[in-house]
């Protein structure tokens, strides 16, 4: 909670106030993001929170494009692959290398 209050105050002081409705929606979205951060830090710990922040920042600074001809297309693909690779590695580590499907799952008894 000590981290959330200064972030909300800074957001209120630095946000442009062109339209009150847009400011309100932006503030609500920001509060949802901060709430997600607090939830992840409190429930899953510091490592999960740091990985969350790393992934969000990585996806924010790397442009994802659908145009194959764009010069930044491959940069976005590599970023998505790094995030996917981290997720696969985290899943494998969390399950302890156990098989995903048990014997007989596909009715191959």
């Amino acid at each position: 909670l000590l981290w959330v209050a200064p972030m909300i105050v800074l957001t209120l002081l630095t946000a442009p106030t062109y339209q009150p409705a847009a400011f309100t929606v932006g503030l609500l979205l920001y509060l949802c993001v901060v709430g997600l951060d607090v939830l992840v830090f409190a429930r899953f710990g510091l490592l999960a929170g740091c990985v969350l922040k790393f992934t969000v920042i990585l996806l924010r600074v790397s442009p994802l494009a659908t145009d194959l001809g764009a010069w930044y297309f491959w940069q976005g693909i590599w970023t998505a692959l790094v995030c996917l690779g981290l997720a696969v590695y985290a899943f494998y580590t969390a399950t302890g290398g156990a098989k995903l499907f048990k014997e007989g799952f596909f009715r191959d008894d």
Side-chain angles (χ1 to χ4, degrees):
L1 193 58
L2 294 175
W3 173 68
V4 175
M7 296 304 288
I8 293 172
V9 170
L10 286 174
T11 302
L12 289 172
L13 292 177
T14 60
T17 57
Y18 300 120
Q19 297 176 350
F23 175 74
T24 305
V25 169
L27 182 62
L28 288 175
L29 287 173
Y30 182 74
L31 288 175
C32 289
V33 169
V34 170
L36 178 67
D37 288 346
V38 169
L39 177 77
V40 169
F41 274 106
R43 175 67 179 99
F44 300 108
L46 184 62
L47 180 63
C50 290
V51 170
L52 171 72
K53 296 307 278 182
F54 171 76
T55 306
V56 167
I57 290 170
L58 187 65
L59 290 174
R60 187 179 295 163
V61 299
S62 178
L64 295 173
T66 56
D67 180 17
L68 294 173
W71 64 270
Y72 52 86
F73 176 77
W74 292 107
Q75 181 182 7
I77 291 296
W78 280 111
T79 302
L81 287 176
V82 165
C83 290
L84 184 65
L86 283 173
V88 168
Y89 176 72
F91 178 77
Y92 178 76
T93 304
T95 57
K99 286 187 174 183
L100 183 58
F101 300 110
K102 302 287 185 206
E103 287 288 328
F105 182 79
F106 295 109
R107 300 198 188 268
D108 55 357
D109 305 322

